[in-house]
Amino acid sequence: MLVKTELTHDGFPLKYAYTNASRQECIVLAMPFGLRIELADAFFRFYQPHYDIVSWESRLILDPPGLETSLDNFAVENHVKDLVTVLRACQVSRAILVGYCSGAGIALAAASRFPKLVSTLILVHGEYVLLDDESCTTQFAEDMDRLLSVAAKSEGHARQVFEKVNSERPLTNNNLPKGIDMPFTKLHYLHRHAMNYLAYKAIDFRGLAQSITHRSLLLTGNKDAQVNVESTREIHKLMRNAEIYVDINADHYGILREDSKTLAVLWNYLTAQQS
């Protein structure tokens, strides 16, 4: 994994990672908001013997304090343009696009806005913010919506949420990948993450799903406490050329773990498409 920084179209530094093997096919991983690129290491290791891999850190959230930001900076359209910026920097004209968690929403938006950039679309444990449907919403999602909606209002409100979350959060959880809670570890991270969430949840992901004609795979799991199977089924039924895979034992984090079943399912799907 090689790591570089490129300026976005609107002048912000954007950290991205890539392999440099010049293979024929490339996989682009759209990571969840507010995670360090190093969390994609297992994904890179698994696929780079056979593909070029590209990923990036979402804009602004993990930048140093003191940077002036607004809700407009976090518009989904800007995240999509960041993807295009990274692909150009890596000289990739067409790729398999894998979106994970909130990255699935960005992947949907990118495939809709720039369909020729995407050869195959894969959405893994997608967060589609279907808060209007109880069957598509987990308790975790409801709690996060409430907390982040407050934290987005101001730095003062973000401080209240930050103190509450950190007073209630367990000190360790060995079942979670290290660094998965990065947006909640610093006050300015949380405030930006919350503003970003407001911009993200304003998008009509059902409408985006209906616009997709790419060959697609959607993965979900029965043990995912963040996003549930029904939300993925809802998006899947709106897509015209999509398969769905439900793993009865999968939680939310398989794509970040070494040699996981999630990584193997993606591999098997891509191999079958080539045959």
Side-chain angles (χ1 to χ4, degrees):
M1 178 191 290
L2 304 172
V3 179
K4 285 190 175 181
T5 301
E6 185 80 11
L7 286 181
T8 66
H9 69 281
D10 48 353
F12 296 109
L14 191 69
K15 187 177 178 181
Y16 68 97
Y18 66 102
T19 57
N20 195 24
S22 299
R23 304 187 190 282
Q24 288 187 340
E25 283 196 281
C26 178
I27 300 178
V28 179
L29 174 61
M31 290 280 282
F33 298 127
L35 298 189
R36 293 292 185 194
I37 196 65
E38 288 75 16
L39 270 171
D41 186 62
F43 188 95
F44 272 72
R45 289 178 183 274
F46 191 93
Y47 292 107
Q48 68 183 17
H50 307 281
Y51 297 91
D52 278 340
I53 314 296
V54 174
S55 189
W56 77 101
E57 287 184 6
S58 50
R59 57 169 41 220
L60 298 172
I61 295 172
L62 302 182
D63 283 358
L67 184 68
E68 292 292 329
T69 56
S70 69
L71 195 61
D72 289 343
N73 294 141
F74 298 106
V76 166
E77 179 68 14
N78 283 328
H79 290 292
V80 171
K81 289 180 179 178
D82 291 347
L83 165 60
V84 174
T85 295
V86 170
L87 290 182
R88 287 175 179 166
C90 296
Q91 299 182 330
V92 174
S93 60
R94 188 169 169 84
I96 299 161
L97 180 54
V98 177
Y100 165 44
C101 188
S102 52
I106 301 306
L108 271 176
S112 179
R113 176 70 175 82
F114 298 104
K116 292 183 179 180
L117 287 179
V118 180
S119 60
T120 301
L121 180 64
I122 300 176
L123 307 177
V124 181
H125 296 274
E127 171 56 271
Y128 308 110
V129 208
L130 305 180
L131 297 168
D132 60 332
D133 187 338
E134 285 187 10
S135 69
C136 294
T137 304
T138 64
Q139 186 62 54
F140 179 93
E142 290 180 1
D143 291 344
M144 283 298 102
D145 179 71
R146 183 173 62 256
L147 291 172
L148 294 178
S149 296
V150 171
K153 293 179 180 180
S154 68
E155 289 190 2
H157 284 86
R159 184 178 298 280
Q160 294 174 15
V161 173
F162 181 78
E163 292 172 351
K164 173 180 174 60
V165 168
N166 282 278
S167 67
E168 296 177 353
R169 186 171 54 182
L171 293 178
T172 60
N173 188 333
N174 293 329
N175 193 42
L176 300 182
K178 186 177 180 179
I180 200 73
D181 61 345
M182 185 62 69
F184 296 89
T185 60
K186 293 187 178 181
L187 176 60
H188 67 281
Y189 291 175
L190 175 59
H191 183 47
R192 294 174 191 168
H193 183 58
M195 287 194 292
N196 186 83
Y197 172 76
L198 289 190
Y200 181 76
K201 82 168 186 174
I203 299 300
D204 175 14
F205 292 109
R206 290 186 181 94
L208 288 178
Q210 289 178 313
S211 74
I212 301 300
T213 59
H214 301 81
R215 184 175 56 199
S216 304
L217 173 67
L218 287 74
L219 279 75
T220 183
N222 284 348
K223 294 185 178 179
D224 189 338
Q226 288 190 230
V227 295
N228 65 14
V229 171
E230 288 308 310
S231 63
T232 294
R233 291 194 192 278
E234 173 74 8
I235 295 299
H236 170 254
K237 75 181 184 182
L238 299 171
M239 297 173 70
R240 284 170 269 180
N241 192 20
E243 300 177 30
I244 186 170
Y245 182 92
V246 181
D247 186 336
I248 62 172
N249 294 312
D251 66 5
H252 194 70
Y253 305 105
I255 198 170
L256 303 179
R257 296 188 179 112
E258 294 283 348
D259 300 319
S260 69
K261 184 177 179 181
T262 302
L263 296 176
V265 169
L266 267 65
W267 169 257
N268 291 338
Y269 175 77
L270 293 173
T271 302
Q273 300 305 315
Q274 294 170 352
S275 60

